[in-house]
Amino acid sequence: MVAPGALRVVRCGGSALGGARAVFSADSKQVGYLLFASGDFVKVYSVSTEETLLLMGGHAGLVTGIQLNPHNHMQLYSSSLDGTIKLWDFMDGIPIKTFTVGSKLLALYAVASAEDSVFVVIPKKGERDTFQLVSVKLTKGAGQDLEGKELSVVLDGVGASMKHIAFGREGAYVVSVKDVNLQVYFFKQKLLNRFSLNTMKTKGGDNRFSCVMCHPTEDCIATGHADGKIRLWRNFHHRKEYTYSTLHWHHDIVMDLAFSLEGTRLLSGGVESVLVQWHNESSCQKDFLPRLGSPIEYISMSSDGSLCCTLHEDNRITIINSNLRFSRSIQGLIKSKDVKTGLVVDPRTKALVLNGEPGHLQFYSTQTDQQLFSLDIVQRQHVHQAGLKQLDLVKVAFGAQGTWLATVEESEEVTDPELQLKLWFYNEETQSFKLNTRVNTPHDSHITDMCFRDVDELGEDSLILVTTGRDCVFKVWVMVEDTDPEAQQSVSWSCDFVGSYHNYQATNCCFSEDGSLLAVSFEGTVTVWDSLTWDLKCTFCHPPGNIRNICFGRLTCSKYLVGATDYGFLCCWNLLTCALEWSAHLNVVVLQPDPLSEHIAAVSWLSKKSSLFVFKPSEPRPIYIQRNLCKEKILLAAFVPRDEPEVISSEKHLWLRKSQPFFLTDTQELMTLSTKSLEERLTPSSKQLAVEESLPVTPFSVLLGKHRRQQAQEDTDLGKPLVHSKQEQASPAVRELLHTPAHVLPSASFLCTIFINSLLISKENKSAEEVADEVEMESEKAEDDSDEEDVTAMEQEDTSHMEFLGEMTCKLSKSQEKELRKIRKMDYSWIAAF
């Protein structure tokens, strides 16, 4: 549990999924859970509802392996680089036991034949890049934290990846592959057989092993190789009489292999993004599932053989039916080769927008850790081939309302790149962006930056776009009416102004908060322009070094301009005095302002560690410092506005109230700062599965809870008080009925009376005046049917409040009664919102 008011760094997305194979629950058809390692966490995913149900955290390092407990399929083992093995009840997300091994754990294997033991891969002491497969005795004890120090070495010189080791039929032997060597160790005979392939590369062949998998019912070993071949080994009990057959379709390395439940089918995947299914060990009989998006890293099969899943290089998980048909996909933060667009926030959905699949723009929800949708920008088929020069998405910017989107595409050519500027308009009917304008070669060289004039008050009539380029100019693009009668759109974009400064390369640009000023950096100089007349107002320079980032202050700090140089200086200029206000010696790699406050976040990179500094331009002293934020280099940052202001107890963390910062590292992991503990950050669906007072939640309780929430929402919409809902929750009879296991409950006849009485709402005694008033209202309703049609429970509640406050009803005249009827007809349900 995190201390109150303390900030913690949370890896919230993009964590590598390639650390271990995913695991299906024991019965994937009925239960439908998929468990996979994601960074420091283990996630439980529902195959049927397509949402993440649980986020199990507790490891202090990367999770490297997960395995179902072979003796209890409702439990899960997990291993981590923090040197611990955890046993989980994954239905409730509760850690049952923690075994401390003391060494980095690189892979985990649980075998049914091994009683009270698991197998892990650890580094060999005293030797670099050398690993061992060891057996860990899981100590029995009453406590939750136990020692797992009893280790026995099984194999030396094994590979560090999970797919370099496999256990044979019924755990009788274990197989290890590394380079061109294959080892088979038989447990009962204590026999070790070694086999080697030719190291010579002939005719483009490469015999190095890449993965291994054992047949579930026969003594057969399948190995994948770097040249795309698959070998099936038999008779390996004998060192000289072994045989193998070869299957070949992949043109590059075989990334992983998996056998079906019966062993009649073999699945393979690689860099082609194609899942290949081999029948009866024949090269002639095979099926394909192509276009899976990115190279396949791991393949997992369910225990009943009905489903399989593939983990991909870009953090995507694909679930596939047994007939090799695509079922569904789990897409979190998709990893791309290089995030060139930066980290941008969509004003409409508050999603993070950045490079996704090649040529695509991904919209990623930070709340659900899911990709909302992907927009094809380049609209060309991407060919996965090294060295091929293709168009790539490099810049993106949104207008203030999110209705306009600007993108820049560039080829990887250095001297004469192909450039395209595209303007997209959001179509409300199709709920997607539609291409409005395409500009070929908007600049003569690479585009370095791009921004919209981001002002809500000015409206879209004054919306302009600025682009800067290495051709030493910046260009202003405005909307103009399309005069072509055959045009499908009313407006298009064209260049309105071209600016330059002493033939220097333009590197960065940004608008002030009110849109009146434009700042453009030209190498080591910052220029400020009037956005109405495009006159140069002033220039700022702080040698030595070129300007790396610039941004204007906001709200009370709007008179300041902040810039960071590549020589390690952070500068703040006063726009009113046109002078340097203050400067600091800091190697800032990221400079990101909060759009809802005066605060600016600066991330520095020093001594192979990233540090965070939050400050106001008006004060040179930071209001918050987080040194050693992470060991990875942070490349990008963005502030995402919150739906509601966060309740912050500590004054030094008040800068987190309105917006939440997100940071993207060079390993494309997304991190944020949070004052909440892990339990508080669970999704609503996770909270339904979380333990309440250490008691399991029954299915009936979950169903009734959904009904209650729906009824409560309807009552809130109608302005009804939620009195009965509170009484139900407070009833001991209801709690016992919903949270007590069915096999220990008393008979239904015994509970029926108590249960029904607990649901009844006691009716308070009414005064004689109130009864008389109701009789008068009924008679008045008979006189005028339309008078009382809109009377709601909220109005009846108002009369009871009057009585509670001590106001006595008295005899009213007919005119007063008529006026009172008019008042009663008025709808006061709007006040329920307060």
Side-chain angles (χ1 to χ4, degrees), residues 479-615:
M479 284 189 293
V480 295
E481 294 186 3
D482 204 327
T483 57
D484 188 357
E486 298 182 358
Q488 299 181 354
Q489 56 219 15
S490 59
V491 296
S492 60
W493 291 75
S494 66
C495 183
D496 182 65
F497 179 77
V498 179
S500 63
Y501 182 78
H502 289 211
N503 206 29
Y504 294 150
Q505 289 186 359
T507 53
N508 298 278
C509 62
C510 66
F511 278 97
S512 60
E513 186 179 15
D514 60 358
S516 61
L517 297 177
L518 169 69
V520 182
S521 62
F522 291 88
E523 298 182 10
T525 305
V526 180
T527 60
V528 180
W529 306 73
D530 189 330
S531 63
L532 295 178
T533 62
W534 300 117
D535 293 333
L536 179 61
K537 290 297 184 181
C538 61
T539 60
F540 300 112
C541 184
H542 190 281
N546 295 326
I547 301 297
R548 181 182 286 169
N549 297 294
I550 55 172
C551 67
F552 281 95
R554 293 178 178 271
L555 301 177
T556 60
C557 300
S558 58
K559 64 179 180 179
Y560 298 104
L561 177 64
V562 181
T565 69
D566 55 7
Y567 268 59
F569 283 96
L570 181 64
C571 309
C572 179
W573 294 282
N574 192 319
L575 297 172
L576 300 181
T577 62
C578 295
L580 181 67
E581 187 79 9
W582 55 265
S583 66
H585 190 60
L586 191 65
N587 183 29
V588 176
V589 293
V590 176
L591 192 66
Q592 185 63 41
D594 180 6
L596 300 182
S597 70
E598 301 94 341
H599 303 105
I600 297 177
V603 180
S604 67
W605 174 249
L606 186 64
S607 301
K608 296 184 178 180
K609 291 179 181 178
S610 294
S611 300
L612 172 65
F613 300 85
V614 180
F615 64 95

Side-chain angles (χ1 to χ4, degrees), residues 133-177:
L133 176 68
V134 299
S135 173
V136 181
K137 185 74 173 178
L138 301 181
T139 309
K140 292 184 178 180
Q144 187 175 1
D145 296 325
L146 302 173
E147 295 289 332
K149 302 293 186 180
E150 191 175 338
L151 309 179
S152 57
V153 179
V154 179
L155 284 175
D156 258 332
V158 301
S161 174
M162 180 184 188
K163 52 191 173 185
H164 290 163
I165 295 175
F167 284 80
R169 176 176 54 89
E170 298 179 355
Y173 54 89
V174 60
V175 185
S176 168
V177 295

Side-chain angles (χ1 to χ4, degrees), residues 22-25 33-37 42-44 56 66 76 90:
V23 174
F24 284 95
S25 57
Y33 295 149
L34 178 68
L35 302 98
F36 54 92
V42 178
K43 293 186 178 181
V44 182
M56 299 191 299
I66 56 173
L76 179 82
F90 65 84

